[in-house]
C-alpha cells in the first residue's frame, strides 16, 4: 500500500499543447522531484487516466481536440477525484469562477511564475494526502479506504460488492459498539421501515462479509451480539 501511495504522490499529468510551456513544466517539475506525464491532446490524457488517476493534473483549457473545462467535468463525472490545477490564458473573473465550479481545485492564469505554480501544486497534494489519510479506517490488520473504496486484510486486497463495502464501512465506523439491523437498513439501504425480507438480505450480506473478511484469519472482527 505504501508503494502505491508513493507513486501517486510523485506522478503529475500536464495537459498542455504548447511545446515550450510543456517542456518547461516537465523540466521544472522533474527537478522538484515529480514524475511528469505529458499530454498535448485530451485523447492522450484519457489514455493516461485509463491506467489510473495521477496524483494531480495541470490542465490547460484550450486544447486542439476539445475544451479542457468540458473534459474536466467529464472526468469528474467518471469518478476521478485527483486535484486539478487549471493553468490557462483565460483570466477573466467569470472564466475563473467557471473553472472552479467545473471541478478545478485551483486556477492560475498565464503568464505565471513557476515558483507560485509549484507552491500551489504542493499545497493541493498536501490537502489530498490529508484527506486520503483521514478516509482510511484501520482495525487490527483490516484497512478500509473510504475514499477509493478499497479494503485490505493483512495486506491482501479484499474484493467487495458496493453494498458489502457500505455495510463494512458502517460497522467499522461504529467499531466496539453493536450495530442494529435498523441502523443498517437506514444507513445502507436507506429504508426507514424495516421488513422481514430486508432482514434476510442484511443477514446474507453479513454472511458474505464474514466469509471475505474473517476467513482464515485468527482474529474474527465481525461478531453477532444477541
Amino acid at each position: 500500500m505504501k508503494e502505491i501511495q508513493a507513486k501517486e504522490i510523485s506522478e503529475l499529468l500536464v495537459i498542455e499543447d504548447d511545446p515550450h510551456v510543456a517542456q518547461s513544466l516537465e523540466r521544472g517539475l522533474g527537478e522538484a522531484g515529480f514524475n511528469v506525464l505529458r499530454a498535448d491532446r485530451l485523447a492522450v490524457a484519457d489514455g493516461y487516466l485509463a491506467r489510473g488517476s495521477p496524483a494531480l493534473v495541470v490542465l490547460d483549457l484550450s486544447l486542439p481536440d476539445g475544451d479542457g473545462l468540458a473534459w474536466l467535468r467529464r472526468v469528474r463525472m467518471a469518478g476521478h477525484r485527483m486535484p486539478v490545477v487549471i493553468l490557462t490564458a483565460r483570466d477573466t473573473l467569470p472564466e475563473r469562477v467557471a473553472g472552479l465550479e467545473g471541478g478545478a481545485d485551483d486556477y492560475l492564469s498565464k503568464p505565471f511564475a513557476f515558483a507560485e505554480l509549484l507552491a500551489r501544486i504542493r499545497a493541493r497534494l498536501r490537502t489530498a494526502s490529508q484527506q486520503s489519510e483521514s478516509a482510511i479506517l484501520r482495525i487490527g490488520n483490516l484497512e478500509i479506504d473510504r475514499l477509493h473504496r478499497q479494503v485490505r486484510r493483512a495486506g491482501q486486497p479484499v474484493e467487495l460488492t458496493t453494498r458489502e463495502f457500505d455495510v463494512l464501512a458502517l460497522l467499522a465506523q461504529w467499531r466496539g459498539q453493536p450495530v442494529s439491523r435498523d441502523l443498517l437498513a437506514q444507513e445502507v439501504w436507506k429504508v426507514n421501515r424495516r421488513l422481514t425480507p430486508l432482514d434476510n438480505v442484511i443477514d446474507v450480506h453479513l454472511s458474505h462479509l464474514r466469509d471475505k473478511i474473517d476467513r482464515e484469519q485468527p482474529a474474527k472482527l465481525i461478531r453477532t451480539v444477541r
Side-chain angles (χ1 to χ4, degrees):
M1 190 67 174
K2 291 181 179 178
E3 292 179 357
I4 294 174
Q5 290 176 341
K7 178 182 178 183
E8 288 178 348
I9 289 173
S10 65
E11 191 167 76
L12 309 183
L13 173 59
V14 174
I15 307 175
E16 171 63 65
D17 66 316
D18 186 317
H20 298 294
V21 175
Q23 290 170 8
S24 177
L25 290 174
E26 182 178 27
R27 182 174 61 253
L29 293 172
E31 291 173 353
F34 297 106
N35 177 33
V36 180
L37 306 173
R38 280 176 53 183
D40 60 356
R41 300 288 191 278
L42 296 174
V44 177
D46 285 335
Y48 284 124
L49 290 189
R51 291 161 32 189
S53 295
L56 180 142
V57 173
V58 178
L59 173 66
D60 188 14
L61 294 183
S62 300
L63 283 304
D65 58 343
D67 179 69
L69 185 54
W71 177 87
L72 175 57
R73 293 192 183 104
R74 175 166 58 82
V75 299
R76 289 301 194 214
M77 289 291 292
H80 293 281
R81 295 291 176 260
M82 68 281 175
V84 174
V85 177
I86 289 178
L87 183 64
T88 180
R90 303 181 191 175
D91 62 353
T92 68
L93 177 59
E95 287 169 329
R96 294 198 301 272
V97 171
L100 295 170
E101 291 186 344
D105 299 273
D106 209 338
Y107 196 109
L108 189 60
S109 301
K110 300 176 182 177
F112 64 97
F114 178 77
E116 181 181 3
L117 173 64
L118 182 59
R120 290 177 183 237
I121 287 173
R122 285 174 170 163
R124 293 303 168 188
L125 288 173
R126 283 195 302 270
T127 299
S129 178
Q130 292 165 358
Q131 290 174 342
S132 177
E133 184 62 27
S134 66
I136 295 177
L137 296 174
R138 292 183 177 89
I139 304 174
N141 62 359
L142 175 68
E143 185 176 276
I144 304 170
D145 184 341
R146 292 179 291 182
L147 182 62
H148 300 98
R149 299 182 69 84
Q150 297 173 345
V151 176
R152 288 175 178 264
R153 181 85 197 261
Q156 298 301 312
V158 180
E159 297 296 330
L160 299 179
T161 66
T162 299
R163 193 79 78 181
E164 289 168 353
F165 182 91
D166 291 340
V167 171
L168 180 64
L170 183 65
L171 294 177
Q173 182 181 340
W174 287 73
R175 58 188 177 275
Q177 305 176 62
V179 176
S180 67
R181 287 189 179 90
D182 283 330
L183 183 58
L184 285 167
Q186 292 170 10
E187 296 297 325
V188 177
W189 277 268
K190 309 302 180 184
V191 175
N192 292 324
R193 186 164 176 257
R194 208 179 87 234
L195 302 174
T196 300
L198 182 55
D199 284 356
N200 297 332
V201 172
I202 292 173
D203 289 344
V204 168
H205 280 78
L206 288 171
S207 176
H208 289 169
L209 272 179
R210 283 194 178 92
D211 186 53
K212 295 179 178 182
I213 298 297
D214 285 341
R215 183 178 55 191
E216 301 177 358
Q217 295 290 330
K220 308 305 179 185
L221 298 179
I222 302 176
R223 305 172 186 173
T224 298
V225 178
R226 300 294 182 186

